[in-house]
Amino acid sequence: MKKLLLILFIPFIVNSQQISVMDAVVLKDGSDAEYMEIEEFWSKIHAEIISQGKKMQWSIWKTLPGDPLTEDSKPADYMIFNSYESQEQYDASQDVDYVAIAQKVHGISKKKAQKMIDSSFDPREATRSYTLSIQAQAAAADFNPTPGLVCSISLMQEKNDDYESFEKEVFKDQFQKAVDIGAQTFWGFTRVEERSENAYTQFSHICFNIDGENENTVENDFKTQKLVELGLQSREMIPNTGSMELVLFEN
């Protein structure tokens, strides 16, 4: 359970090359039930791939979208995360025989498995993909993600080369203090390394936040407050980008 969202929820200690591919899925109107049926089919396939050591984790989140980023595009209905412990593991996953695994885990014929896989994208209108790497995070020691968990999404565009340093060396400490008093459960700071041609380009980084039960009473001293102000000037935050709720996961 605590492996959930490798790149978002596990202390980033061992391997700085961990990768998470985030797919923002836009569904065709009225296809939600069909889509979830397909993802239930895929969940067992991903579980088997994970057991083979070719992936660390897979999860699906239903979005609670805010304002659309552009007037001519729809916000995502679901977010899918496929996480890998290294570039080598990611590369190995490209050779997975999905049909054979589907036959194995579902006990179906090769023809049936191929048909199910070929129709997997039928409910989708579009998929925007982003490859993320985690840069910093703060999390409660007893953090235990379960279905229904809500995580807010913040999209940032860096304005200068100091931005990441402010997040790692100033804001991380602020969030850790909030975590320590129970006002925050998790904070994760990620960089977008690659994106699909149809993906949004208005942001360079994504932050993920999960609130705690307590009020945030953290107060900054003069020096820290000035650093926070400089940090805020180093990036532009896209307002009201929404949140997501955990639905399915395998790890």
Side-chain angles (χ1 to χ4, degrees), residues 119-172:
S119 64
S120 292
F121 280 76
D122 289 353
R124 302 189 190 188
E125 181 175 314
T127 303
R128 299 186 286 264
S129 296
Y130 307 84
T131 301
L132 309 177
S133 64
I134 195 165
Q135 300 300 308
Q137 66 177 12
D142 60 349
F143 183 58
N144 186 23
T146 56
L149 178 72
V150 175
C151 178
S152 65
I153 305 169
S154 298
L155 306 179
M156 314 289 192
Q157 179 60 47
E158 64 179 356
K159 295 172 68 175
N160 57 55
D161 293 339
D162 294 331
Y163 169 59
E164 287 192 2
S165 295
F166 278 114
E167 291 282 7
K168 297 175 185 179
E169 300 176 24
V170 178
F171 292 114
K172 177 183 177 181

Side-chain angles (χ1 to χ4, degrees), residues 161-220:
D161 293 339
D162 294 331
Y163 169 59
E164 287 192 2
S165 295
F166 278 114
E167 291 282 7
K168 297 175 185 179
E169 300 176 24
V170 178
F171 292 114
K172 177 183 177 181
D173 288 343
Q174 303 305 298
F175 283 107
Q176 187 60 60
K177 290 176 181 178
V179 167
D180 293 342
I181 64 172
Q184 189 94 5
T185 304
F186 175 84
W187 168 80
F189 171 56
T190 68
R191 178 202 297 151
V192 180
E193 303 289 354
E194 298 179 7
R195 66 190 83 207
S196 59
E197 290 186 2
N198 66 334
Y200 293 138
T201 59
Q202 295 94 328
F203 54 90
S204 57
H205 296 75
I206 306 176
C207 288
F208 299 89
N209 291 276
I210 300 175
D211 292 334
E213 297 181 355
N214 300 332
E215 180 183 356
N216 192 345
T217 58
V218 175
E219 295 184 3
N220 296 326

Side-chain angles (χ1 to χ4, degrees), residues 1 9 18 20 39 45 81 83 89 94 119 137 161 172 179-180 194 211 213:
M1 195 80 113
F9 294 143
Q18 290 174 329
S20 187
E39 293 298 1
I45 297 174
F81 291 84
S83 298
Q89 188 181 63
Q94 307 308 301
S119 64
Q137 66 177 12
D161 293 339
K172 177 183 177 181
V179 167
D180 293 342
E194 298 179 7
D211 292 334
E213 297 181 355

